Amino acid sequence: MDICAVNVLTYEEFLEIFGNVVEKCPLIPAAIWTHRPFSSLAEIEAHISDFIDSLSQSGKEGILRCHPDLAGRDHLSGTLTRDSQEEQREAGMTTLEHAELSRLTRLNSAYKERFGFPFVICARMNSKAAIMRQLVERLENSRPTETKRAIEEVKKICHLRIRYIVLSDVPNKL
Amino acid sequence: MDICAVNVLTYEEFLEIFGNVVEKCPLIPAAIWTHRPFSSLAEIEAHISDFIDSLSQSGKEGILRCHPDLAGRDHLSGTLTRDSQEEQREAGMTTLEHAELSRLTRLNSAYKERFGFPFVICARMNSKAAIMRQLVERLENSRPTETKRAIEEVKKICHLRIRYIVLSDVPNKL
């Protein structure tokens, strides 16, 4: 799928394909569809990034709250989005040993208790060990610092989801 | 469920209950959870309204694009949200005669062609005849006027969804 093909999509088609590039926030791709025609994938990403940056602190926290816990309830109940499922599987989050899962669950709870949103990290860019280490480290951040840090991860996830969508169709076109 | 019960919900519980008060936009209730404790249902609504008003024109259009067509593809394929299904059923949108459905489909297409988002109306506040009449009338609006008009309908739908959630649980508490 090259950018010309993206530019002729109706908003319904665009949402079917790009609706979850920010987890459970179809509002965002639905909004930036207004700005087509896009000159490149990078422009789509830039519009999404601008949209996120334009939100208030609570709006940014809202985006984070739409994300699932790593190896959490949605994984156990089979209600993860397909994107999250694949990302968590690749990072080894779906095959944790009992002790690892216990530790992650405990750290996740502490994180949510402290910040009021779940720990978000681009799983595809991190090993299991790196995820655990960053969770411990980021627990020490202030709330504004951590919101900013987590939103950076949202943008990395979005970047890879967009690449994955487009490149899995027609490689090397964009 | 009284407002004290709402105020002690975790963000996950809050999203399970209020996640679809704006159609397919869990980001919005997820964001306004930050502002708890709420003094009343009206305060929850006011925060949602403020969030929507703070969005750019394209952001507002994004909200509208997350809505299904009346008696459209999602109804036919059974993929309407439960909220939309009930609202469309009550307004007689799911039992249209062939000629009515043809006319509605034609008008919906013309509307989407003109504005780039679907026709949104608070079905629970309108009869079938009133919906058809307003669709014809609103097709004449300019794009900024119509966006504003449609967002008013989003807020009416949200108002009724919140009332329905809370009152269907413990009547007359709020």
Side-chain angles (χ1 to χ4, degrees):
Chain A
M1 168 173 272
D2 66 14
I3 199 70
C4 299
V6 172
N7 283 329
V8 296
L9 297 174
T10 65
Y11 73 82
E12 289 133 314
E13 294 164 338
F14 188 78
L15 281 179
E16 266 176 30
I17 297 172
F18 294 93
N20 204 51
V21 295
V22 180
E23 181 77 5
K24 291 187 183 166
C25 295
L27 163 57
I28 300 177
I32 68 104
W33 181 85
T34 299
H35 302 297
R36 77 203 184 291
F38 308 110
S39 60
S40 62
L41 278 190
E43 194 193 330
I44 294 179
E45 273 190 63
H47 283 301
I48 291 175
S49 183
D50 288 349
F51 184 98
I52 294 173
D53 292 341
S54 76
L55 294 175
S56 63
Q57 168 74 17
S58 60
K60 292 183 179 99
E61 291 173 4
I63 290 181
L64 299 172
R65 289 183 194 118
C66 289
H67 286 70
D69 288 356
L70 283 173
R73 197 175 50 164
D74 286 322
H75 163 57
L76 295 172
S77 63
T79 54
L80 280 177
T81 63
R82 199 185 55 183
D83 299 307
S84 282
Q85 194 173 19
E86 288 175 8
E87 290 157 359
Q88 294 205 22
R89 186 179 51 73
E90 285 179 26
M93 291 291 109
T94 58
T95 53
L96 293 174
E97 289 174 20
H98 182 72
E100 292 173 320
L101 183 58
S102 289
R103 181 158 179 254
L104 182 61
T105 303
R106 206 168 53 242
L107 287 167
N108 265 337
S109 295
Y111 184 99
K112 287 194 285 187
E113 180 67 29
R114 175 161 168 76
F115 297 115
F117 48 77
F119 177 68
V120 175
I121 189 165
C122 180
R124 281 204 166 109
M125 289 183 183
N126 289 281
S127 65
K128 189 166 69 177
I131 289 172
M132 296 297 269
R133 192 181 60 243
Q134 289 187 60
L135 175 44
V136 171
E137 284 172 10
R138 285 167 52 185
L139 253 170
E140 301 300 314
N141 283 338
S142 69
R143 189 168 169 146
T145 301
E146 181 53 21
T147 306
K148 199 173 160 197
R149 183 73 191 74
I151 287 292
E152 286 169 13
E153 296 296 315
V154 169
K155 292 181 182 180
K156 288 181 201 168
I157 296 167
C158 176
H159 172 78
L160 290 185
R161 287 187 181 180
I162 290 176
R163 293 272 146 189
Y164 185 82
I165 288 166
V166 180
L167 300 181
S168 67
D169 184 356
V170 183
N172 307 318
K173 266 295 188 62
L174 283 162
Chain B
M1 170 173 271
D2 64 17
I3 199 68
C4 299
V6 172
N7 283 329
V8 295
L9 296 175
T10 65
Y11 73 82
E12 289 132 315
E13 293 164 340
F14 188 78
L15 281 178
E16 265 177 31
I17 297 172
F18 293 93
N20 204 51
V21 295
V22 180
E23 181 76 6
K24 291 186 182 166
C25 295
L27 164 55
I28 301 177
I32 67 104
W33 183 82
T34 300
H35 301 298
R36 78 202 183 293
F38 307 111
S39 60
S40 63
L41 278 189
E43 193 193 331
I44 294 178
E45 274 189 62
H47 283 301
I48 291 175
S49 183
D50 289 347
F51 184 99
I52 294 172
D53 292 341
S54 76
L55 295 174
S56 62
Q57 168 74 17
S58 59
K60 292 183 179 96
E61 291 173 4
I63 289 180
L64 298 171
R65 289 184 192 117
C66 291
H67 286 70
D69 289 357
L70 283 172
R73 197 175 48 163
D74 286 321
H75 163 57
L76 295 172
S77 62
T79 54
L80 279 178
T81 61
R82 200 185 55 183
D83 299 308
S84 282
Q85 194 175 17
E86 288 175 7
E87 288 157 0
Q88 294 204 23
R89 185 179 52 73
E90 285 179 25
M93 290 292 110
T94 57
T95 52
L96 294 175
E97 288 174 21
H98 182 73
E100 292 172 320
L101 183 58
S102 290
R103 181 158 180 255
L104 182 61
T105 303
R106 207 168 53 246
L107 288 167
N108 264 337
S109 294
Y111 183 100
K112 287 195 285 187
E113 180 68 29
R114 177 161 167 76
F115 297 115
F117 49 78
F119 177 68
V120 175
I121 189 165
C122 181
R124 281 202 164 112
M125 289 183 182
N126 288 282
S127 65
K128 189 165 69 176
I131 289 172
M132 296 298 268
R133 191 181 62 244
Q134 289 187 60
L135 175 45
V136 171
E137 284 173 8
R138 285 169 49 186
L139 253 170
E140 302 300 315
N141 282 339
S142 69
R143 187 166 168 147
T145 301
E146 181 52 21
T147 306
K148 199 173 158 196
R149 184 72 189 75
I151 287 292
E152 286 169 13
E153 296 297 315
V154 169
K155 292 182 182 180
K156 288 180 201 167
I157 296 167
C158 176
H159 172 78
L160 290 185
R161 287 186 180 181
I162 291 176
R163 292 272 145 188
Y164 185 82
I165 288 167
V166 180
L167 299 181
S168 66
D169 185 354
V170 183
N172 306 320
K173 263 300 185 63
L174 286 160

